[in-house]
Amino acid sequence: MKRVFVNMTRVPGTVGCVTDERLPDDGYVAYGVTVDLVILTIRADQLCVLLVRRGLAPFAGALALPGGFVRPDETLAQAARRELAEETGLLLPELPSRGSAWPGVHLEQLAAYGAIDRDPRARILTIAFLALAPDLPEPRGGTDAAAAEFVPVTALSGLGALAFDHAEILADGLERARAKLEYSALATAFCPAEFTVAELRRVYETVWGAPLDARNFHRKVTGTSGFLEPVGHSTARDGGRPAALYRRGAAELLHPAMRRPPAATP
Amino acid sequence: MKRVFVNMTRVPGTVGCVTDERLPDDGYVAYGVTVDLVILTIRADQLCVLLVRRGLAPFAGALALPGGFVRPDETLAQAARRELAEETGLLLPELPSRGSAWPGVHLEQLAAYGAIDRDPRARILTIAFLALAPDLPEPRGGTDAAAAEFVPVTALSGLGALAFDHAEILADGLERARAKLEYSALATAFCPAEFTVAELRRVYETVWGAPLDARNFHRKVTGTSGFLEPVGHSTARDGGRPAALYRRGAAELLHPAMRRPPAATP
DNA sequence: CAAATAGTGTCTATGAGACACTATGCA
DNA sequence: TGCATAGTGTCTCATAGACACTATTTG
């Protein structure tokens, strides 16, 4: 499918004219730019991703990652935050431009995707972001989402392909999340402000898809300095002996790192 | 500095009109997109980055990372490969779209940078790539490089600021490289096709800026399966007992990982 | 021979994983 | 009392780091 790019523009003040073959060195071609979000949460012990059902062509009726065009007055991170707020109904304070985070929600850049025909309409690049959040209220149909829903990632093979190259983006987001649980305190982003060690362990087990030894896990996380901060030993119950509650500590990176078992992640 | 965006375009087939305030949901604004390269190599036991002296405004006369606009018929990775070839004079075979690599040279996506005023002329996003290469021939002034030279990264504080946000991009690239030496076989990308354990160790010491114990290093790298593959025990000399030569093995990721000493990286 | 670099052996501290055991709640 | 979950102690194995020691070259 060879397309003619009619949406080339020149910017006053730059040299260069636009042809289809070879651009002058300071030539300038403009592309559409979107942000797409991999928003992960844990519901009922399942790792879920927020997907929207597309209403418009292309891929009308298919599931897709939430996202939208970057506006001229916002950075990439700001666009991602706006989309996140629109899709989840969360209101977010202003954030530093890169990385985390307000209490509990984590947002970071994942990668840029620029395959030539990833959007059949025109050349559109997307910058994907990864968001991790504790269990959220039901997503409200945002302004640009026909219908948004959290879908267990294990159910995706049976749901048909995602729109555009979103399956690849989602796979990259999942792998990033799984990898970062090893060496960062990111798992706490899936937990409410106060949580027990068992809840944190279930996060690891759910994201990695592998069981962990509860005793060793407890020793490890409580022994890693800066990971957890005990909040006055209030407790909550879950059937047995009450558990101590913790808040996330100051550490971003874990020393030593948690070790992901070699098990599969189906 | 408030600018008016005159370079907004509409793409036939998409709805939406362009205003400065609020875009319809499927609205579309176009931006300039470049790739910028952090090309690292090791020369004379110093970690060096390839920089070009800008000839044109803005930042005329300043040092900058090599890069250029993405053409409409190439992916981001292809644009990065083209720029790499133009700047270094290397001829490169066609590659799979993500990650590495042809013998010895590594290229991977680093991140996207989209601060609103990162280019004073217009809204331009850049996708940064990280390249690691063995000692290259003197860079030839490429088509769009006024002059290209490898600069030791330790010398950069005394050279004045880099153009645009390239100091931030370079810092991110350096940190990525330092981190990936820990858990990947990336250090071999700084070495020629055949190398000794001592040469590999000098790569680690140079990138990390910290000395390593030669004996323990030797045991570790030769004991990590898939990292090094002994090529018929030919040798080369460097003053003392001849050393065995190795080629990089099949492993991308190291098990167990190398450990970066806590030392500073000045 | 000495000097220089390559490579091995050995000891110790630390952390991971296995798992017995104790602690504290509820029905 | 029985059961479920929380949390600790202890053993074993693997690996990191320190460093003594051997091996193989050149001058």
Side-chain angles (χ1 to χ4, degrees):
Chain A
M1 189 213 307
K2 197 96 174 94
R3 271 175 306 101
V4 178
F5 285 83
V6 295
N7 57 321
M8 296 170 177
T9 54
R10 292 182 54 194
V11 170
T14 64
V15 285
C17 66
V18 173
T19 75
D20 214 5
E21 191 59 278
R22 189 156 246 272
L23 297 169
D25 297 335
D26 211 28
Y28 180 111
V29 182
Y31 303 99
V33 177
T34 60
V35 291
D36 285 313
L37 270 65
V38 178
I39 305 172
L40 301 178
T41 195
I42 293 179
R43 296 170 86 109
D45 282 336
Q46 292 228 276
L47 181 61
C48 298
V49 59
L50 188 69
L51 296 177
V52 299
R53 182 75 61 178
R54 282 185 60 84
L56 299 172
F59 298 100
L63 288 170
L65 298 174
F69 286 97
V70 176
R71 298 178 182 169
D73 59 349
E74 62 188 3
T75 65
L76 299 173
Q78 285 166 349
R81 273 203 303 282
R82 174 178 53 75
E83 291 289 339
L84 179 60
E86 288 176 359
E87 300 293 342
T88 63
L90 288 175
L91 283 187
L92 326 171
E94 184 64 16
L95 292 184
S97 57
R98 297 198 102 216
S100 63
W102 63 97
V105 181
H106 174 88
L107 183 65
E108 68 176 46
Q109 194 186 110
L110 188 54
Y113 297 82
I116 294 173
D117 282 315
R118 57 177 299 283
D119 189 314
R121 295 168 295 182
R123 183 73 191 272
I124 294 181
L125 313 175
T126 196
I127 318 296
F129 282 77
L130 174 66
L132 308 183
D135 201 351
L136 296 168
E138 268 311 313
R140 58 164 211 224
T143 53
D144 53 357
E149 48 183 332
F150 279 108
V151 176
V153 296
T154 55
L156 278 177
S157 43
L159 284 179
L162 262 39
F164 305 105
D165 51 2
H166 288 186
E168 179 191 359
I169 297 174
L170 173 58
D172 290 347
L174 288 172
E175 182 45 38
R176 170 81 64 93
R178 290 186 175 122
K180 283 198 93 165
L181 286 210
E182 294 189 53
Y183 60 91
S184 78
L186 218 68
T188 57
F190 285 113
C191 297
E194 298 187 350
F195 53 89
T196 67
V197 171
E199 287 162 358
L200 184 65
R201 176 168 48 83
R202 259 166 247 132
V203 167
Y204 275 91
E205 292 176 329
T206 303
V207 176
W208 284 347
L212 298 175
D213 184 281
R215 291 83 52 101
N216 293 332
F217 183 88
H218 191 284
R219 248 193 310 102
K220 194 144 66 175
V221 296
T222 55
T224 299
S225 84
F227 195 2
L228 299 184
E229 183 180 295
V231 48
H233 63 309
S234 339
T235 67
R237 56 236 36 184
D238 197 18
R241 166 178 170 179
L245 285 172
Y246 295 86
R247 223 180 274 280
R248 73 166 296 172
E252 271 303 319
L253 265 16
L254 302 183
H255 294 287
M258 308 292 296
R259 276 182 61 161
R260 168 156 49 155
T265 47
Chain B
M1 189 213 308
K2 199 89 171 102
R3 273 175 303 100
V4 179
F5 285 83
V6 295
N7 58 321
M8 295 169 177
T9 54
R10 292 180 53 193
V11 169
T14 63
V15 288
C17 65
V18 173
T19 77
D20 215 6
E21 190 59 279
R22 189 156 246 271
L23 298 170
D25 297 336
D26 210 26
Y28 180 113
V29 182
Y31 302 100
V33 177
T34 59
V35 292
D36 285 314
L37 270 66
V38 178
I39 305 172
L40 301 180
T41 195
I42 293 180
R43 295 170 89 108
D45 281 337
Q46 291 228 276
L47 182 61
C48 298
V49 60
L50 188 70
L51 297 178
V52 299
R53 183 77 59 181
R54 283 184 60 83
L56 298 172
F59 299 100
L63 287 171
L65 297 174
F69 286 97
V70 176
R71 297 179 181 167
D73 58 350
E74 62 188 3
T75 65
L76 299 173
Q78 285 166 349
R81 271 202 305 282
R82 174 177 53 76
E83 290 289 341
L84 179 60
E86 288 175 1
E87 301 293 343
T88 63
L90 288 175
L91 283 187
L92 326 170
E94 184 64 17
L95 291 184
S97 57
R98 301 197 100 216
S100 61
W102 63 98
V105 181
H106 174 88
L107 182 65
E108 68 175 47
Q109 195 187 108
L110 188 55
Y113 297 81
I116 293 172
D117 283 315
R118 57 176 300 280
D119 189 312
R121 294 168 295 183
R123 183 73 190 274
I124 293 182
L125 314 174
T126 196
I127 318 298
F129 282 77
L130 175 66
L132 308 184
D135 200 350
L136 295 169
E138 268 312 312
R140 56 161 212 227
T143 53
D144 53 357
E149 46 184 335
F150 279 107
V151 177
V153 297
T154 56
L156 278 176
S157 43
L159 285 179
L162 262 39
F164 305 105
D165 51 2
H166 289 185
E168 179 192 359
I169 297 173
L170 173 58
D172 290 348
L174 287 172
E175 182 45 38
R176 169 81 65 92
R178 290 185 175 123
K180 284 199 93 165
L181 286 210
E182 295 189 51
Y183 59 88
S184 79
L186 218 67
T188 56
F190 285 114
C191 297
E194 297 188 350
F195 52 89
T196 67
V197 170
E199 287 163 357
L200 184 65
R201 175 168 48 82
R202 259 166 247 133
V203 167
Y204 274 91
E205 292 176 329
T206 303
V207 176
W208 283 346
L212 299 175
D213 183 283
R215 291 83 54 103
N216 292 333
F217 183 87
H218 187 101
R219 249 194 309 102
K220 195 142 68 172
V221 296
T222 54
T224 298
S225 84
F227 194 3
L228 299 185
E229 181 181 295
V231 48
H233 63 308
S234 337
T235 68
R237 55 233 39 178
D238 198 19
R241 166 178 170 178
L245 285 172
Y246 295 87
R247 223 181 273 281
R248 75 166 295 172
E252 271 303 317
L253 266 16
L254 302 184
H255 295 287
M258 307 293 295
R259 276 181 63 162
R260 168 154 50 155
T265 47

